[in-house]
Amino acid sequence: MSQPRKIIIDTDPGQDDAVAILLALASPEIDLLGITCVAGNVPLALTRDNARKVCELAGRPDVKVFAGCDRPLERALVTAEHVHGKTGLDGADLPAPKMPLQGAHAADFLIETLRREPPGSVTLVAIGPLTNLATALRRAPDIAARIGRIVLMGGAYFEVGNITPAAEFNIYVDPEAAAIVFGAGVPLVVAPLDVTHKALVTAPRLAAFRALGTEVGATVAAWTDFFERFDKEKYASPGAPLHDPCTIAWLLHPDLFTGREINVEIETAGTHTTGMTVADWWRVTGRPANALFLGDVDADGFFSLLTERLSRL
Ligand code: RIB
Ligand code: CA
């Protein structure tokens, strides 16, 4: 195996974030340098606890977890308790974390790590609103050239929005932050709703989590039982979309996914479209490509990978 890939996960746990963190911790191809928490699905006071609960569930109290921004750059915070529950990890009752929260601000950890590690050697995996990444880029513009790649869950094009008719939640919460990230000139891989809505936890897939017979398997099944109610009712779908783990799965097996290198701009001033990812899928604008925008996934392959890796915890 080649050297493990160094990553930092920026997150707003959220049950699907939690599964992404578990997948990363279960995968020897990944060297998780740290987890930076941001306000999103639930306030920062909860996301910074939830990230540590997940690390302890995985038996990894050694992971460095940092608290970051508690609100978007310019707007009031919008949360998603209606999807994730009051705690953000409703469905399973995990104990309060014992492992410490690191003292540094998430943005400072991002800056210090990127300045220390060899240029291009660190991948940022962003699975919540992009406030921490944008704050780091504004405080230290020099880090843009040092980031190997940003793999993010966010946006939508053919699938349209999930928090407004035009916008996906992570982008909608902090469109100004997203505009900074999408305009930073860093290689981007974007997992939009177009692809995550094809990674549905159907009943057989949920049963496979439960059949692991482990605390991790039971917890992931319980989280899914909880947060699938929202999507199944709204979309009449056969299961909940596992949004955030698509980013880690892309790092592990990019061949499970297809997409296009296209231009993606962020709407920050729309009356009805603020937070929209304006994805030039048909390349009509002539604007330079700035992202690999994923459109499809081998869902069976994705769930086989995920379930096998979870069995290792
Ligand atoms: O729109 C889905 C995204 O918003 C996921 O990252 C989910 O965790 C929420 O943050
Ligand atoms: Ca998330």
Side-chain angles (χ1 to χ4, degrees), residues 7 20 48 51 62 80 92 96 147 204 207 220 226-227 233 242 253 264 281:
I7 76 168
R48 69 188 191 191
D62 59 294
I147 302 169
V220 170
F226 179 84
F227 81 92
E233 188 181 320
L242 259 191
H253 284 288
V264 182
W281 185 262

Side-chain angles (χ1 to χ4, degrees), residues 40-242:
N41 285 320
V42 289
L44 178 68
L46 287 172
T47 61
R48 69 188 191 191
D49 284 2
N50 291 346
R52 288 181 288 156
K53 288 180 179 182
V54 176
C55 290
E56 290 181 342
L57 172 66
R60 291 293 308 279
D62 59 294
V63 175
K64 290 186 172 50
V65 177
F66 299 81
C69 299
D70 64 1
R71 75 201 65 188
L73 296 180
E74 298 176 17
R75 298 169 189 261
L77 177 63
V78 172
T79 53
E81 286 90 347
H82 60 293
V83 178
H84 299 276
K86 195 152 177 45
T87 71
L89 289 181
D90 282 30
D93 187 14
L94 296 180
K98 296 187 181 66
M99 63 188 278
L101 185 69
Q102 300 299 309
H105 186 283
D108 293 328
F109 170 70
L110 288 164
I111 293 165
E112 286 153 24
T113 305
L114 288 162
R115 283 178 172 164
R116 181 188 70 241
E117 297 293 334
S121 66
V122 177
T123 298
L124 303 185
V125 178
I127 52 178
L130 294 166
T131 317
N132 285 342
L133 271 63
T135 300
L137 285 162
R138 282 205 307 197
R139 275 189 199 165
D142 60 290
I143 64 170
R146 301 182 70 88
I147 302 169
R149 177 183 279 118
I150 297 173
V151 184
L152 68 89
M153 190 278 139
Y157 185 60
F158 293 105
E159 196 64 12
V160 299
N162 63 355
I163 188 79
T164 74
E168 176 279 328
F169 180 79
N170 287 341
I171 309 298
Y172 178 74
V173 169
D174 199 340
E176 285 72 24
I180 289 171
V181 171
F182 278 70
V186 176
L188 275 186
V189 177
V190 179
L193 298 179
D194 302 41
V195 71
T196 68
H197 276 190
K198 296 170 183 168
L200 299 179
V201 188
T202 58
R205 292 164 178 165
L206 177 54
F209 291 152
R210 205 166 266 122
L212 290 174
T214 62
E215 187 187 4
V216 166
T219 303
V220 170
W223 283 334
T224 304
D225 269 335
F226 179 84
F227 81 92
E228 73 173 10
R229 83 217 179 286
F230 173 78
D231 289 276
K232 286 175 82 168
E233 188 181 320
K234 177 176 177 180
Y235 297 104
S237 58
L242 259 191

